[in-house]
Amino acid sequence: QRGREWERPVNIEFFEPGGKLGFSMNAGIRIHGSGTKVLPQKSLRLYARKDYDIQNSFSYDIFPGLNKTGTNEPLTEFKRLILRNGGQDFYRTIFKDMMLQSLIEHEAIDTQATRPAIVFINGEYWGIQNIRERFDLHFLASNYNGEPEDFVMVISTGSLDHGEPGDERPFRDMVSYVRNNDMSKQENYDYIKTQMDVDNYIKYVAFQMNVGNHDWPSNNVNAWRYKTDYDPDAPYGLDGRW
């Protein structure tokens, strides 16, 4: 089951190694994932909301050294977090995805900050899971100094994932243009470079191919943009391109 009606209230406590309390707050929790929901140890998604706590974000240096994209400004505010069970690597190392993302985090490609944790639920040892950022509009707002409503996210089919109805139209128009115009012509290619960050896309595809991601590209693909007209002088990620 999925959606807000399946969210449950919880109290979350985060302890540093050695036992020092990092934070304690009320929040919401849901089961996270797709096919991996069948695993005995579920991934969990954590929601910070005013409905649960006056502190409506996880405000703590959960990922030491994490900065907002393209800046030296520390990122210590999170609206959503994931306790990931390792996904399809659950019965192996548990950490493969976080290790692979670390190989590309020096490039201008969005990766999820991560930190391994030992999880207890109601005082009972639950196992090892990985604390992760979650890719959504709050991730983009936090990392790129915007507001959630300033961004849109779609899946590879062009269907809207996060945003307002109609926000997906520029993506579909772009894909239609590529299908119906010869990309070997310089003028057509130059136009597409005003619609999408081609360098970012090339690095992304090359990385997925090199690590042998077998759950891709027909699945687990998202594209996003800052909702504005193309501005080549805008800060990275805020120029209006996909």
Side-chain angles (χ1 to χ4, degrees):
Q1 307 292 344
R2 57 192 301 125
R4 181 70 182 270
E5 64 270 24
W6 291 92
E7 191 172 307
R8 298 292 183 264
V10 292
N11 176 263
I12 299 170
E13 294 181 316
F14 177 89
F15 294 91
E16 295 284 0
K20 179 183 177 182
L21 178 64
F23 67 85
S24 175
M25 62 178 288
N26 298 319
I29 194 168
R30 302 183 198 175
I31 293 176
H32 172 82
S34 183
T36 58
K37 288 180 178 179
V38 304
L39 295 171
Q41 184 179 344
K42 314 301 182 189
S43 292
L44 301 171
R45 192 184 305 166
L46 310 179
Y47 289 81
R49 302 185 192 277
K50 287 183 178 178
D51 294 352
Y52 301 116
D53 200 300
I54 190 172
Q55 180 178 320
N56 69 333
S57 67
F58 301 104
S59 180
Y60 186 73
D61 191 13
I62 298 173
F63 309 105
L66 178 64
N67 294 326
K68 295 185 178 183
T69 302
T71 74
N72 292 319
E73 183 181 352
L75 179 51
T76 58
E77 298 278 341
F78 307 92
K79 293 288 291 184
R80 310 281 189 266
L81 291 171
I82 295 171
L83 291 175
R84 194 170 187 269
N85 61 4
Q88 295 178 350
D89 192 45
F90 176 76
Y91 288 112
R92 298 177 180 87
T93 71
I94 303 177
F95 62 74
K96 182 171 73 171
D97 185 76
M98 55 188 282
M99 182 275 291
L100 290 175
Q101 289 201 38
S102 74
L103 300 179
I104 198 69
E105 62 185 7
H106 62 286
E107 293 285 358
I109 293 177
D110 293 316
T111 57
Q112 295 163 287
T114 185
R115 185 175 182 179
I118 296 172
V119 178
F120 292 82
I121 298 180
N122 294 337
E124 179 182 357
Y125 174 74
W126 211 252
I128 298 171
Q129 296 187 241
N130 300 313
I131 309 173
R132 309 291 296 269
E133 289 182 283
R134 183 189 181 225
F135 283 135
D136 60 13
L137 299 187
H138 292 286
F139 171 93
L140 297 174
S142 296
N143 278 273
Y144 291 92
N145 276 328
E147 298 296 331
E149 58 269 22
D150 296 335
F151 298 89
V152 55
M153 187 179 291
V154 300
I155 61 177
S156 57
T157 61
S159 298
L160 185 66
D161 193 15
H162 299 287
E164 298 295 325
D167 284 345
E168 75 280 9
R169 176 52 56 188
F171 182 85
R172 293 184 177 182
D173 290 344
M174 178 185 69
V175 172
S176 177
Y177 183 90
V178 171
R179 286 174 173 164
N180 294 294
N181 292 273
D182 185 355
M183 287 297 103
S184 68
K185 292 184 177 180
Q186 190 64 46
E187 62 269 26
N188 294 340
Y189 184 60
D190 287 343
Y191 170 74
I192 282 300
K193 289 196 292 185
T194 69
Q195 302 301 300
M196 64 178 285
D197 187 334
V198 173
D199 291 338
N200 174 272
Y201 179 70
I202 290 172
K203 291 176 180 178
Y204 166 77
V205 171
F207 179 72
Q208 298 287 357
M209 294 172 66
N210 272 277
V211 301
N213 186 350
H214 60 83
D215 201 13
W216 174 94
S218 59
N219 192 29
N220 295 327
V221 179
N222 287 84
W224 65 269
R225 68 183 284 264
Y226 183 71
K227 294 191 287 187
T228 187
D229 293 333
Y230 175 56
D231 179 4
D233 298 321
Y236 179 77
L238 303 179
D239 60 11
R241 296 186 295 173
W242 294 100

